[in-house]
Amino acid sequence: MKCKALKNFPKVIDGKPVGPFRKGQDVDLPKDLAEKFIDSAMFEEVKPPAPAPAKKDAEKNSKPAAATTEKKPTTGKAKSD
């Protein structure tokens, strides 16, 4: 299971060799050990990024920009006769 260390750890934890780990380091741990470390807030799970939407889906969802023909109000003083 992919995890990220939330702090530095020595080579041995509770008499078991597991490290050393550095804060911010991504490691692949056995699931049972990873769950224990995550539960004790020593590590956090690293989830894979969500897949990008398929190109066809992106094209369906995008709308072409509408052309505007609206006249903008003019500024200035009105002409008087």
Side-chain angles (χ1 to χ4, degrees), residues 2-9 20-28 41-46:
K2 292 278 187 183
C3 298
K4 180 181 280 190
L6 299 177
K7 55 185 175 178
N8 293 327
F9 296 99
F21 300 119
R22 299 279 176 229
K23 182 178 180 179
Q25 178 183 2
D26 288 346
V27 294
D28 196 9
M42 295 168 40
F43 281 75
E44 66 182 5
E45 184 177 359
V46 175

Side-chain angles (χ1 to χ4, degrees), residues 4-60:
K4 180 181 280 190
L6 299 177
K7 55 185 175 178
N8 293 327
F9 296 99
K11 292 181 181 182
V12 178
I13 297 175
D14 293 334
K16 298 178 184 177
V18 292
F21 300 119
R22 299 279 176 229
K23 182 178 180 179
Q25 178 183 2
D26 288 346
V27 294
D28 196 9
L29 298 171
K31 186 174 181 175
D32 61 331
L33 184 60
E35 288 173 349
K36 288 178 186 177
F37 285 164
I38 291 168
D39 289 343
S40 63
M42 295 168 40
F43 281 75
E44 66 182 5
E45 184 177 359
V46 175
K47 296 183 181 181
K55 189 174 182 178
K56 289 181 181 180
D57 292 340
E59 289 174 1
K60 283 182 190 178

